[in-house]
Amino acid sequence: MAELLYRLGRTSARRAKTVVATWFAVLVAVGIAFAVAGGTLASSFSIPDTPTAEVTDKLASELPEAAGGSGTVVFSTQDGSAFTAAQQAAISARVAAASDVEGVEQVVDPFATQAQLEEQAQQVADGEAQVAQARTQLEDGQAQLDAGKDQLEAGQAQIDAGQAQIDAARVQAEAAGLSPRQTPQIDAQQAELDAQQAQLDAQRAAVEAQQAQLDAGTAELEAKEPQLEAGAALLDMATEIRLVSADDNAAVAPVTFTVPQLDLSQETKDDLMAAFTAEPVEGVDVEFSTEIAGGVPELLGVGEVLGVVVAGVVLVVVLGTFVAAGLPILTAIIGVGIGALGAMSLSGVIEMVSVTPMLGLMLGLAVGIDYSLFIINRHRRQLKQGYDVHESIGLANGTSGNAVVFAGTTVLIALVALNITGIPFLGLMGSVGAFCVLVAVLIAVTMTPALLALVGMRVLNKRERAALAASGEAGAPVPTTTKPLRPMSTPGAVVRALACIGALVVVALPALELRLGLPDGATEPHESTQYHAYSTIEQRFGEGQNGTLLVVAELPKAPAEGQETVTQAAIARQIFDQDDVVAVAPIGTSQDGTTIAFQVIPKEGPTSESTEDLVNTLRDLTLDDGVTIGVAGQASGNIDVSATLADALPTYLAVVVGLSLLILVLVFRSIFVPVVATLGFILSFFAALGGVVAIYQWGWLGGVFGVETPGPVLNFLPTILVGILFGLAMDYQLFLGSGMREAYAHGAPARIAVVQGLRAGRSVVTAAAIIMISVFGGFVFSHAAMIRPIGFALAFGVLVDAFVVRMVLIPALMHLVGDKAWWLPRWLDRVLPDVDVEGAALERRHPHEHELDAEAEPATTA
């Protein structure tokens, strides 16, 4: 590899203009590709096969109107007074216009809908009053019938008594021998009694008819009562769901889209916002939720540019000339342009979240500057030693360029390995980041040599060029002086090691309280429309309205005709009875009646622990009659994404740690160095995570870092941090440790080799780390809420790893173990290939021309 890079460097130097023109042509080409084929970047995240995704897919087929993306438009009066009739009419007109925007399924008119809700509540109240009145009337009628029945029974008793007397008289007459003709009086009494019986029977029939009529009324009332009670119960459980605030000075207009949130185009969101902002309603502020206003972040902001400026200052200090300092920045900008635009040109055919190209930009800028710096720094050192320009370019490309390729490969592998998590958007982030790193490496080993050839000796400053010219013979090395090397003291090494480990553990402690989530409106800048919408809803309608859950009930069979409302109320009641549920309302039923969707308002916001617990509780809920429950919605989706990422992190961390050990054993041919270097990486990782938790979750130093509302840590940050920080940690370990290994292999005592390698590499590693920190730190003040914690985690992680772990802890530990640091079992030494990262063999194959002259001169003289 070193020989190949040597030849590549020499070729690039000879054909410098062609190489530079080619890279510019590639940049133009990917720019055109992006303009032609670039699609929409999503601002939301989803993972297939999660509970939320399964429910959403089910809704898409069973209840498509509830499966699309959603958002909220929030209105509030500027003076805090109630909406006037004119303002309500103007808002309703804009709602109607917004409903016609392409991609919008519906925009709910808050005033009309609130009026309907109040009318329904009044109708239910009137119905309850009517039922109560009817029941009173039925009870009065039943009491009258019961009294009539009592009278009939009394009359029947009298008739029965009279009949008994007549029968007794007839028996006496027959006993006396009297014929019927001789007892006309008895016959008359019988006829009169029969007439009374007939009249009583008629009255009884009338009473029975009235009873039947009363029973029918009672049955009808009893049939209606459950439906009415169910409707009343549903309204009672939905009381807290309002579209207009109780004091009539704020209103929310829910928006549903025709496609899922991830597929929602920026054009649709822009057109929707324009429908409300093109002609503002006098005296009314309009704000939009994150789902609507959360667009694609700008690739470069003030903070990012400032980070590049700081990196430029560092380069000027290290390289000593503006010409040399400008080369790494130029190559990095071209590299990130190709990487970021190339990735975004695929967004038309690949679902890509908005943070993906930002991650590529971060990495491309940081590693692009660093990798070019390593080669330029080696080239400058060789020029000052008397090397010819083209000779030095080839050798620098074959030595430092070889280390760059190896270091870049470790970063690339770590990023590509994100695909093993099985999380598509995270794997794509890793792939895009790896592509940007690959471009940075290719530019470093081709365009950097070409630019060095074009600038020639101007890569040195005037003083250095003058010293080189004054050294006598052209090309002779400039004399340098070095201080004698002394190993660090053993007690000092012990103190350093303990102090570093203790400090890192303390900084890492907050990581034990890590909570994962996604930013919501509360974490946005307080001047943003997303934050204003979130806070208005929280203050006027309740915090839970910002974290609405979509709960879907699956029934084994459809409810009987007329029992739909009763079934809805029964399910809603079981949901409503759970802790931290504020309100429940049915929002739709599938055509076959077996799928019912409910809107559920939790007590707290979408990122709160109580809402997360509620989602899990609802999913575990066992309902009557075999009804199963699923939960979807933005809050539920974010909870699932966070849980999936948390589950995938240990596996990915184990893979990266294993990869770290393998690579370092291969490079350093040692057991101790890879183990302590890997443990150092783990300390760096958890220290960086602890810093993120303290600042972004707990709010420490929030004013310094612009954290106005602390909350859960970005859910994919730990996984991304593992991949990137691992690659960078291996870079620094490589550039420092290889110098120690080389010194030890050339016969230096182990403890002297530690100091020698540290002295040889610390300046360039220090510069590289400061550049990394500057570039990543620039993103800490990005306007995008998701980017800021990533920038901080990477900047702080590099700071800790480079200046604490690599430059203090690892050298101290290596000093303490001495020669044992380089112990390797013989069988393993025979098996491992010889990886010449620093290109020592290349230097032996291509010795400096003055060294050749020095070797040839004694033979000529003889």
Side-chain angles (χ1 to χ4, degrees):
M1 176 62 75
E3 183 67 31
L4 175 63
L5 291 171
Y6 171 81
R7 295 176 182 177
L8 181 61
R10 294 294 293 262
T11 301
S12 298
R14 286 195 301 269
R15 300 180 180 178
K17 293 182 179 179
T18 301
V19 172
V20 174
T22 299
W23 280 112
F24 273 104
V26 173
L27 178 61
V28 172
V30 296
I32 294 173
F34 168 67
V36 172
T40 300
L41 297 177
S43 57
S44 60
F45 299 82
S46 68
I47 299 178
D49 301 326
T50 61
T52 295
E54 292 172 358
V55 172
T56 303
D57 293 341
K58 177 74 174 177
L59 285 176
S61 59
E62 298 291 336
L63 201 61
E65 62 270 20
S70 62
T72 306
V73 184
V74 182
F75 307 93
S76 59
T77 57
Q78 294 174 350
D79 59 3
S81 60
F83 289 106
T84 64
Q87 288 172 334
Q88 292 184 19
I91 292 172
S92 298
R94 283 154 181 76
V95 165
S99 298
D100 295 332
V101 171
E102 185 176 359
V104 173
E105 177 72 24
Q106 181 187 25
V107 183
V108 177
D109 186 334
F111 302 106
T113 305
Q114 187 66 44
Q116 290 174 0
L117 291 174
E118 293 173 357
E119 182 179 352
Q120 289 174 0
Q122 185 60 48
Q123 289 175 351
V124 169
D126 293 343
E128 288 180 323
Q130 291 173 1
V131 166
Q133 182 179 4
R135 182 168 294 281
T136 300
Q137 292 173 348
L138 288 172
E139 291 174 352
D140 291 345
Q142 185 67 52
Q144 293 175 359
L145 282 176
D146 291 343
K149 288 179 181 179
D150 291 342
Q151 292 176 355
L152 287 174
E153 290 176 357
Q156 185 66 51
Q158 291 177 355
I159 292 174
D160 291 343
Q163 183 66 49
Q165 292 175 355
I166 292 175
D167 292 341
R170 196 178 297 280
V171 170
Q172 290 177 355
E174 290 176 353
L178 297 176
S179 67
R181 293 180 180 179
Q182 294 175 322
T183 57
Q185 184 176 4
I186 293 176
D187 292 339
Q189 290 177 347
Q190 184 64 54
E192 183 180 358
L193 195 62
D194 289 342
Q196 291 178 358
Q197 183 66 55
Q199 185 179 5
L200 191 63
D201 290 341
Q203 291 177 350
R204 182 179 286 110
V207 168
E208 289 176 351
Q210 290 177 0
Q211 183 66 58
Q213 188 177 19
L214 193 64
D215 291 343
T218 302
E220 182 180 359
L221 184 64
E222 290 177 350
K224 289 181 179 180
E225 199 166 24
Q227 295 281 355
L228 192 62
E229 290 176 352
L234 287 174
L235 282 175
D236 181 64
M237 288 184 282
T239 301
E240 295 301 320
I241 301 177
R242 298 184 57 89
L243 298 184
V244 180
S245 63
D247 49 8
D248 290 331
N249 60 5
V252 293
V255 181
T256 54
F257 299 98
T258 57
V259 297
Q261 200 74 39
L262 197 64
D263 300 327
L264 189 60
S265 70
Q266 187 63 39
E267 182 180 2
T268 296
K269 293 189 283 188
D270 291 340
D271 291 345
L272 175 65
M273 289 188 287
F276 291 100
T277 58
E279 297 181 11
V281 179
E282 185 176 355
V284 175
D285 290 327
V286 58
E287 310 292 352
F288 303 94
S289 66
T290 304
E291 296 85 357
I292 298 174
V296 178
E298 299 176 4
L299 286 182
L300 280 177
V302 176
E304 292 88 333
V305 173
L306 184 60
V308 175
V309 171
V310 174
V313 173
V314 175
L315 288 170
V316 171
V317 173
V318 173
L319 300 178
T321 168
F322 286 102
V323 173
L327 298 184
I329 293 179
L330 176 61
T331 56
I333 290 175
I334 294 175
V336 296
I338 293 172
L341 291 176
M344 292 172 67
S345 66
L346 300 176
S347 59
V349 294
I350 299 176
E351 284 188 352
M352 187 179 297
V353 295
S354 58
V355 75
T356 300
M358 294 291 291
L359 181 64
L361 176 66
M362 277 186 185
L363 282 175
L365 273 178
V367 302
I369 293 174
D370 274 6
Y371 291 166
S372 183
L373 168 64
F374 294 143
I375 296 174
I376 294 172
N377 187 65
R378 178 65 178 252
H379 173 59
R380 278 171 41 83
R381 189 169 71 247
Q382 291 171 168
L383 287 180
K384 289 187 284 186
Q385 292 172 353
Y387 284 68
D388 174 71
V389 172
H390 283 72
E391 175 191 15
S392 176
I393 289 174
L395 197 57
N397 212 50
T399 54
S400 290
N402 190 40
V404 162
V405 170
F406 192 85
T409 301
T410 61
V411 180
L412 190 147
I413 292 173
L415 290 171
V416 171
L418 284 169
N419 287 279
I420 70 173
T421 61
I423 300 172
F425 81 82
L426 193 61
L428 182 59
M429 281 185 191
S431 298
V432 169
F435 173 67
C436 291
V437 172
L438 175 63
V439 171
V441 170
L442 293 176
I443 285 183
V445 298
T446 56
M447 190 173 182
T448 299
L451 292 173
L452 289 174
L454 291 176
V455 301
M457 296 299 293
R458 287 178 295 167
V459 75
L460 300 177
N461 58 37
K462 292 181 180 180
R463 180 178 55 81
E464 291 167 334
R465 294 199 299 269
L468 187 61
S471 64
E473 180 183 359
V478 178
T480 58
T481 59
T482 57
K483 297 180 180 180
L485 296 177
R486 293 185 303 173
M488 69 181 75
S489 68
T490 299
V494 171
V495 172
R496 292 178 186 180
L498 293 177
C500 288
I501 294 173
L504 291 174
V505 169
V506 170
V507 175
L509 285 177
L512 297 174
E513 300 294 329
L514 173 68
R515 285 188 61 239
L516 298 178
L518 276 175
D520 56 19
T523 61
E524 295 290 343
H526 283 196
E527 69 275 7
S528 66
T529 184
Q530 301 98 302
Y531 177 79
H532 288 158
Y534 187 97
S535 60
T536 299
I537 292 176
E538 180 179 6
Q539 295 168 8
R540 308 291 177 82
F541 299 92
E543 185 179 357
Q545 297 272 16
N546 284 303
T548 302
L549 301 176
L550 180 61
V551 176
V552 179
E554 293 289 334
L555 284 64
K557 62 179 182 179
E561 185 176 356
Q563 294 299 307
E564 296 86 356
T565 304
V566 175
T567 301
Q568 289 179 355
I571 297 173
R573 172 58 62 185
Q574 295 177 76
I575 296 173
F576 186 75
D577 288 341
Q578 304 306 309
D579 293 338
D580 298 317
V581 173
V582 171
V584 181
I587 58 174
T589 303
S590 62
Q591 290 185 347
D592 62 4
T594 60
T595 302
I596 306 175
F598 294 87
Q599 180 186 12
V600 176
I601 307 298
K603 181 179 180 180
E604 296 183 304
T607 61
S608 67
E609 293 185 58
S610 66
T611 299
E612 181 177 350
D613 293 339
L614 175 60
V615 169
N616 295 326
T617 299
L618 290 175
R619 286 173 174 164
D620 295 336
L621 192 62
T622 301
L623 302 187
D624 300 334
D625 301 325
V627 178
T628 59
I629 288 290
V631 185
Q634 190 72 25
S636 170
N638 292 347
I639 291 170
D640 286 347
V641 170
S642 300
T644 305
L645 287 165
D647 292 341
L649 180 59
T651 301
Y652 180 61
L653 183 58
V655 170
V656 167
V657 168
L659 181 64
S660 170
L661 288 170
L662 179 62
I663 291 174
L664 293 178
V665 168
L666 188 65
V667 172
F668 296 117
R669 309 187 76 81
S670 162
I671 297 298
F672 179 80
V673 174
V675 170
V676 296
T678 302
L679 292 176
F681 156 69
I682 294 174
L683 281 174
S684 300
F685 168 72
F686 281 104
L689 210 55
V692 171
V693 171
I695 291 173
Y696 292 91
Q697 183 176 315
W698 293 353
W700 292 7
L701 301 177
V704 176
F705 293 95
V707 182
E708 296 171 306
T709 307
V713 173
L714 185 64
N715 51 25
F716 59 85
L717 187 151
T719 311
I720 286 289
L721 182 62
V722 168
I724 298 175
L725 190 59
F726 161 74
L728 300 181
M730 294 307 101
D731 284 359
Y732 302 139
Q733 186 64 44
L734 175 66
F735 285 106
L736 291 171
S738 58
M740 300 176 188
R741 174 69 188 177
E742 183 179 3
Y744 181 75
H746 283 78
R751 291 175 174 175
I752 293 293
V754 170
V755 179
Q756 187 173 335
L758 184 61
R759 177 175 293 185
R762 65 186 176 189
S763 60
V764 67
V765 170
T766 297
I770 292 175
I771 289 170
M772 285 273 189
I773 294 168
S774 301
V775 173
F776 291 144
F779 289 87
V780 173
F781 302 100
S782 170
H783 66 285
M786 282 190 293
I787 300 300
R788 294 195 293 267
I790 296 177
F792 173 82
L794 292 175
F796 188 60
V798 169
L799 174 68
V800 169
D801 192 83
F803 293 108
V804 179
V805 174
R806 305 303 152 187
M807 291 191 187
V808 181
L809 177 60
I810 302 299
L813 294 175
M814 292 179 67
H815 171 88
L816 292 175
V817 299
D819 290 332
K820 294 179 181 178
W822 304 108
W823 175 80
L824 186 71
R826 291 183 179 180
W827 66 268
L828 186 57
D829 188 42
R830 290 192 299 269
V831 172
L832 291 178
D834 185 14
V835 181
D836 184 18
V837 177
E838 282 294 331
L842 176 69
E843 293 183 282
R844 291 192 296 269
R845 288 194 299 269
H846 299 278
H848 183 30
E849 58 185 19
H850 291 286
E851 296 172 2
L852 290 175
D853 292 342
E855 294 175 0
E857 186 175 348
T860 304
T861 305

